[in-house]
Amino acid sequence: MNGLHSLLLQKGLHDTSSPAQAVDLVDQFGFVCTDISFPNVTETKDITTTDWKDQDGEDVYIPERHCVKAFDLEVKVACTCIVGKSTSMLETLQRWFCEGLPQSGDGLTLWLPLYVRGFKRCYFKGSSDVEYTFMDESEVLECTLKFRVCDPTYLVELKKESATIYRLM
């Protein structure tokens, strides 16, 4: 991925009585996406097989519909600010991910505008690889945010005001 991009986030997508407004990572927290690692999002779950020693081949149960595995999504982000402020900016972002999740169990919805793709039922796993670069009176913080996509079978169209969900499988 070339360039700097945003990530839209929303908590509690299915709470129709008072759905949360989508939050832009750049506007709300001052972080831009610098890289997104997309795993194979269509990897199917292993199917049940038995390999009998006294028979050729294997017995296999082939279901009518193949189920897709959940996967991890890593998003590299960066922010530039005055020296000494980036750590508190990262802590604010991490706190937002961990606090105030709805009781519905919906978790987060992530929307990647560059790819015109989003995922629902995600949760924040943490951040890692924090690196600081100092330049004159400013600093750049770079780190990787890790998410788990629990339900990869949906395509989400997310705007700051609303979201539309399409079942893929």
Side-chain angles (χ1 to χ4, degrees), residues 6-169:
S6 189
L7 173 69
L8 298 178
L9 308 149
Q10 187 177 33
K11 293 180 180 180
L13 182 61
H14 292 88
D15 183 5
T16 55
S17 61
S18 60
Q21 187 171 2
V23 171
D24 187 313
L25 197 66
V26 176
D27 295 343
Q28 185 77 20
F29 301 105
F31 282 87
V32 293
C33 295
T34 60
D35 192 27
I36 298 171
S37 66
F38 267 109
N40 180 2
V41 296
T42 58
E43 185 177 352
T44 60
K45 291 183 178 182
D46 296 333
I47 58 176
T48 304
T49 63
T50 304
D51 192 8
W52 302 103
K53 293 190 185 300
D54 61 344
Q55 294 181 6
D56 295 328
E58 64 185 7
D59 282 339
V60 62
Y61 168 73
I62 301 175
E64 291 180 24
R65 177 182 160 288
H66 291 279
C67 296
V68 179
K69 289 183 179 181
F71 62 90
D72 291 334
L73 181 69
E74 292 187 356
V75 180
K76 291 184 181 177
V77 297
C79 72
T80 303
C81 59
I82 60 172
V83 173
K85 188 175 180 197
S86 64
T87 301
S88 67
M89 291 173 66
L90 179 59
E91 289 170 354
T92 301
L93 176 62
Q94 291 170 330
R95 201 169 28 256
W96 184 86
F97 284 124
C98 297
E99 295 176 354
L101 288 173
Q103 296 296 321
S104 63
D106 290 331
L108 298 168
T109 298
L110 306 177
W111 171 248
L112 309 161
L114 174 67
Y115 295 103
V116 193
R117 183 168 202 170
F119 303 101
K120 72 173 202 154
R121 293 200 60 234
C122 304
Y123 64 88
F124 178 63
K125 291 181 69 173
S127 60
S128 65
D129 304 329
V130 178
E131 295 180 20
Y132 297 91
T133 305
F134 297 94
M135 301 175 297
D136 297 326
E137 295 182 11
S138 64
E139 68 181 346
V140 177
L141 177 145
E142 295 178 280
C143 72
T144 301
L145 303 177
K146 297 180 180 183
F147 300 94
R148 181 74 172 170
V149 179
C150 300
D151 191 348
T153 62
Y154 285 88
L155 173 65
V156 178
E157 288 185 0
L158 182 63
K159 299 181 177 83
K160 284 193 176 184
E161 306 80 35
S162 63
T164 306
I165 301 173
Y166 300 96
R167 181 139 178 103
L168 296 177
M169 298 177 182

